[in-house]
Amino acid sequence: MTFSRRDFVKTSVLGAVVAKVGAPAALAEVPAQDHNAETAAPKHPVIICAHVGYPYVEAAYAFLKGGGDTLDAAIRVVKGPEDDPNVDTVGLGGLPNEEGVVELDACCMHGPTRRAGSVGAVRNIKNVSMVAKAVFEHTGHVMLVGEGAERFAVAMGFPRENLLTDRSRKIWLLWKEFNSDRDWWGPGMADPHWLPPAPDAKPQAELWRDRIEQLRQRAADLGIEPDFQMAAVRRVLFPSTGTIHCSVLNEKGEMSGITTTSGLAFKLPGRCGDSPVIGAGCYTDQDVGSAGATGSGEENIKVAGAHSIVENMRHGMSPQEAGMDALKRIVRNYNSDMTKLHYMDMTYYILRKDGAYAGVCLWEGSSAGHPHRFVVHDGTLRYQVATPLLKGFSQEWPPIPTVPEELKKDSVYLK
Ligand code: ASP
């Protein structure tokens, strides 16, 4: 969109008037930003979200077609996984921080009313997506964190509950024991099964096989059921990522976006990633489009990913170009050092006001045959493979040298 000299004069004059008398009536003089002039109106509603949201998209789409609000539709997509104790990346059953406490993050933007709400590091409340909405509905603030956010949620009627499920607690204990070479966690030398540290002379791959077998045995000792033991080991070695972002567009061209997560598993207490940061984990501008992110939160905050993408679209880039540009900024932050970049990943979910959309990612996925996918519903519900900026696969941090085949085969998500 170009900004003509006439527009500039109008806005300048308006600025002077508002500064002097604060007269809202003068706002009628401001030229509206009309992107419909450049982009066609949407033909049908569109929902785009992270793959964890898939089971809930059909119902949210029907709600939208029935005239439901765009943010309420997005909440329908993310609330299901927040309520599900078997999804360990959001809400109830999310993997905890390093002290065994679940801390949740969420933010949302309501395009039609141009409002935003966010909560960070919230304990004991599972539906943080709805709490984020309550922040803008019931306060003059945008962001609440920690204990204050929890107390606000309780005041709003959200039930306090223990979010650490038995399963998540056992995975956390397993993680403590896995990292217990240099601390007092895990069975001590008095334990009949105690083994001395493996000799350094063994080849790395063999060391890892031994260590994984020890972990599986420990999972059994902790009472983790047999068909979940390797899955629990996997979560310790490759802490799961499954943040959900959802952007929604209705037939009227109204848009909203939301992102919810339990954040990085075993993070430091109080750590907030990108998900509750308006402009990083989620950004919606009713004039342009909506975008959100999952992946390495710290990297996304540094490029203000969602906001950068929406601004790129405002200046004429397609959704895919806009997302690729944000990914290139992450690459730039590491001077294209591929060794470092391999230890991070990022997926962006992008929806433009005319219904055009894209899913882009830094790497193809975590391993061959497991590409990054996202969910789209524009009349037909489906998965799509996200377009990677770089060829190849991301690696876990901290790095492990060899991934045994049985771990590669195991599904990332609970069955
Ligand atoms: N972006 C999230 C965070 O950094 C993690 C994720 O997407 O899985 O907290």
Side-chain angles (χ1 to χ4, degrees):
M1 168 166 180
T2 50
F3 205 57
S4 69
R5 198 177 162 275
R6 198 168 135 257
D7 294 336
F8 174 75
V9 171
K10 269 190 194 171
T11 310
S12 309
V13 170
L14 169 72
V17 172
V18 171
K20 214 169 164 194
V21 295
L27 289 177
E29 292 288 343
V30 177
Q33 288 199 353
D34 184 6
H35 278 257
N36 278 334
E38 297 163 18
T39 55
K43 292 181 192 68
H44 34 60
V46 183
I47 296 180
I48 178 171
C49 72
H51 61 127
V52 193
Y54 186 94
Y56 306 95
V57 174
E58 195 70 80
Y61 199 81
F63 170 79
L64 203 57
K65 288 216 67 129
D69 176 72
T70 46
L71 183 54
D72 290 338
I75 286 176
R76 278 164 192 251
V77 173
V78 304
K79 185 179 181 296
E82 281 180 343
D83 287 340
D84 185 346
N86 287 330
V87 175
D88 59 13
T89 51
V90 293
L92 176 66
L95 288 178
N97 66 22
E98 65 174 15
E99 292 176 355
V101 181
V102 182
E103 289 186 339
L104 306 178
D105 299 331
C107 78
C108 64
M109 291 189 81
H110 187 242
T113 57
R114 297 175 192 270
R115 290 182 293 174
S118 157
V119 287
V122 181
R123 300 178 171 193
N124 303 315
I125 310 286
K126 69 179 174 192
N127 295 126
V128 280
S129 57
M130 295 164 76
V131 182
K133 182 185 176 201
V135 169
F136 75 62
E137 280 180 327
H138 297 281
T139 80
H141 303 309
V142 167
M143 187 172 201
L144 296 176
V145 300
E147 204 191 316
E150 181 183 341
R151 291 218 301 264
F152 165 75
V154 171
M156 287 294 112
F158 290 89
R160 245 193 196 111
E161 59 194 298
N162 179 14
L163 303 181
L164 190 66
T165 55
D166 202 42
R167 225 175 208 188
S168 293
R169 184 180 61 78
K170 286 174 178 167
I171 294 171
W172 169 68
L173 280 175
L174 199 59
W175 174 79
K176 294 288 278 184
E177 296 194 9
F178 172 68
N179 289 294
S180 70
D181 276 7
R182 280 172 222 91
D183 67 26
W184 290 96
W185 280 88
M189 275 182 274
D191 185 274
H193 303 297
W194 185 85
L195 292 172
D200 284 346
K202 271 196 175 182
Q204 283 289 324
E206 225 176 286
L207 287 178
W208 274 98
R209 216 160 289 131
D210 289 355
R211 208 158 179 204
I212 286 163
E213 178 44 33
Q214 278 176 24
L215 264 182
R216 200 203 52 74
Q217 183 55 49
R218 203 53 75 204
D221 296 347
L222 284 168
I224 296 176
E225 63 274 26
D227 63 353
F228 189 68
Q229 285 165 10
M230 284 310 283
V233 171
R234 188 184 166 86
R235 277 161 179 71
V236 168
L237 293 175
F238 321 111
S240 36
T241 54
T243 298
I244 312 179
H245 168 75
C246 181
S247 280
V248 173
L249 169 73
N250 70 11
E251 269 154 352
K252 289 186 265 176
E254 294 171 338
M255 306 193 78
S256 289
I258 199 160
T259 302
T260 182
T261 190
S262 50
L264 292 184
F266 320 126
K267 61 195 173 184
L268 269 65
R271 177 262 186 189
C272 282
D274 57 331
S275 308
V277 178
I278 301 281
C282 177
Y283 193 76
T284 305
D285 184 319
Q286 184 53 57
D287 296 329
V288 181
S290 182
T294 61
S296 309
E298 280 73 6
E299 305 315 325
N300 189 37
I301 291 173
K302 288 188 282 183
V303 299
H307 183 261
S308 298
I309 289 168
V310 171
E311 288 310 299
N312 283 342
M313 291 195 288
R314 190 194 306 279
H315 295 115
M317 285 189 197
S318 71
Q320 181 157 320
E321 288 166 346
M324 287 296 176
D325 174 72
L327 292 170
K328 284 178 192 164
R329 295 182 198 199
I330 294 175
V331 172
R332 172 69 189 86
N333 280 349
Y334 285 90
N335 293 320
S336 304
D337 180 335
M338 290 300 149
T339 307
K340 291 181 180 172
L341 288 164
H342 263 296
Y343 292 118
M344 56 192 77
D345 211 346
M346 183 60 57
T347 303
Y348 289 123
Y349 310 82
I350 309 159
L351 181 55
R352 203 170 57 187
K353 197 187 166 186
D354 62 350
Y357 65 87
V360 300
C361 46
L362 189 60
W363 296 103
E364 292 170 64
S366 54
S367 59
H370 295 102
H372 286 302
R373 296 185 304 167
F374 62 103
V375 181
V376 183
H377 200 328
D378 54 5
T380 313
L381 174 62
R382 60 192 180 275
Y383 284 112
Q384 274 190 223
V385 173
T387 308
L389 175 69
L390 303 172
K391 273 200 101 45
F393 306 101
S394 59
Q395 289 167 14
E396 299 306 319
W397 182 263
I400 72 164
T402 310
V403 184
E405 280 308 311
E406 69 262 35
L407 279 179
K408 279 189 191 160
K409 272 186 248 140
D410 182 53
S411 158
V412 177
Y413 291 96
L414 301 178
K415 289 164 200 137

